[in-house]
Amino acid sequence: MGVFSNKIDREQLKPGDHIYSWRQAYIYAHHGIYVGDEMVIHFTRGGGQEIGTGTVLDRFLCSSSASNATGTPCPKCGDQNKDDGVISSCLDCFLSGDSLYLFEYGVSPAYFLAKPRGGTCTLAVSDPNEDVLRRASFLRKNGFGGYNVFNNNCEDFAVYCKTGLLIFTSISVGRSGQAASCVAAASAVVSAPLRFMTTSFSGLAAVGYGIYCVSRLVSDIGVRRDVSKVPVERLIASPDIDEPEKLETLVASLDTDEPEKLETLVASVGRDEPEKEAVINKED
């Protein structure tokens, strides 16, 4: 594993590792948390939610649900082709016949920029593996909100499990390096007027790539200022994880110094919204 590839062997895996596997000829990658015993917890769209983006991307993005390379139900996982949300799959089904890669944490800015593709590393530092496994297991039982390819996808799930960090502003993409790379590429194209600063082809390429790199770097969760450490118990108290502005309001309104209130909110997960509001108002 190095600057050019994060590919690893199965024997190198440790519980708590953030792993990923490229899909659709390296168009995108699917991410998850390895929990040991050849099992992975990951966040999927599922076969029934193929139009989750509402954009032209839906023609290219396939379901990230676990699938067996043979096309038959896995004896260990069963048929998960239609499953969505946070699920547990065996490593073979998670990889779906593709190679295994390790997501890196705590890298330097130079190393980060040396990686031309987003979604492979971050400047953010990982928490201890026991915390990572606890978050993944908790979210496996309680969910991670609705899947959103730009603001709440499989990479966002894995990054949260590793760091406990959430982005609360709605002016940008979520924690996903893949989504940030798409936005960075768009920024490089939109900034075409800046390229009139030079007339040479090499100069145009340098300006465009420089804008792409800067956009990627400032969008990394390890650099951004609009992030906050959120306990997983508080996180699942909100049904709008994929809507940052609503999640920000809820988190700001909670008092973590009152364990009884937090416990009540956790117990209210899964209730209809009016009932949940009644519980919160009663505690206030």
Side-chain angles (χ1 to χ4, degrees):
M1 191 173 72
V3 173
F4 299 105
S5 176
N6 287 10
K7 190 174 181 179
I8 62 170
D9 297 322
R10 295 186 181 212
E11 294 73 21
Q12 297 175 269
L13 281 176
K14 302 183 299 297
D17 279 346
H18 174 174
I19 61 176
Y20 63 95
S21 180
W22 291 106
R23 300 282 201 265
Q24 294 294 308
Y26 292 89
I27 293 178
Y28 73 101
H30 184 49
H31 295 246
I33 299 294
Y34 180 70
V35 295
D37 296 326
E38 295 285 303
M39 298 299 292
V40 182
I41 294 179
H42 54 119
F43 186 41
T44 79
R45 287 200 301 171
Q49 298 185 20
E50 291 303 315
I51 57 173
T53 67
T55 69
V56 70
L57 290 176
D58 294 328
R59 300 181 181 180
F60 306 101
L61 296 178
C62 297
S63 170
S64 53
S65 292
S67 61
N68 192 294
T70 64
T72 59
C74 173
K76 194 171 184 179
C77 305
D79 185 6
Q80 295 185 320
N81 286 319
K82 298 298 181 181
D83 288 351
D84 64 352
V86 182
I87 65 175
S88 177
S89 308
C90 71
L91 187 57
D92 287 327
C93 287
F94 173 82
L95 295 176
S96 192
D98 294 312
S99 299
L100 173 66
Y101 297 83
L102 179 68
F103 193 99
E104 297 180 271
Y105 286 81
V107 303
S108 67
Y111 186 93
F112 179 86
L113 293 177
K115 296 278 191 179
R117 290 287 298 270
T120 60
C121 61
T122 177
L123 278 70
V125 178
S126 171
D127 288 335
N129 285 339
E130 52 268 27
D131 292 340
V132 177
L133 295 172
R134 182 178 62 84
R135 291 185 188 116
S137 177
F138 195 92
L139 294 174
R140 167 70 182 90
K141 300 175 183 177
N142 295 282
F144 193 63
Y147 194 101
N148 184 297
V149 70
F150 291 112
N151 288 310
N152 202 51
N153 58 39
C154 59
E155 185 183 344
D156 293 323
F157 167 78
V159 170
Y160 173 74
C161 288
K162 290 287 287 185
T163 65
L165 297 176
L166 285 181
I167 294 172
F168 293 120
T169 59
S170 57
I171 60 174
S172 184
V173 296
R175 297 147 297 239
S176 171
Q178 295 182 94
S181 289
C182 292
V183 174
S187 298
V189 173
V190 172
S191 63
L194 295 178
R195 299 179 186 178
F196 289 109
M197 295 167 52
T198 178
T199 57
S200 67
F201 177 79
S202 59
L204 292 174
V207 171
Y209 188 68
I211 294 172
Y212 171 76
C213 289
V214 171
S215 297
R216 276 189 58 218
L217 183 61
V218 298
S219 296
D220 183 68
I221 195 168
V223 175
R224 295 176 63 158
R225 299 291 182 88
D226 55 342
V227 298
S228 181
K229 198 94 166 181
V230 180
V232 69
E233 294 83 4
R234 177 192 288 182
L235 175 68
I236 57 91
S238 170
D240 302 305
I241 298 173
D242 54 322
E243 300 182 41
E245 63 279 4
K246 293 184 180 180
L247 184 58
E248 180 181 15
T249 301
L250 177 61
V251 171
S253 69
L254 295 179
D255 185 355
T256 54
D257 293 331
E258 299 182 26
E260 294 181 359
K261 178 182 293 187
L262 184 57
E263 182 179 352
T264 303
L265 284 168
V266 171
S268 71
V269 173
R271 297 181 182 179
D272 293 335
E273 199 64 25
E275 296 179 4
K276 184 175 294 184
E277 290 181 1
V279 171
I280 295 176
N281 293 331
K282 181 178 179 180
E283 291 296 330
D284 288 337

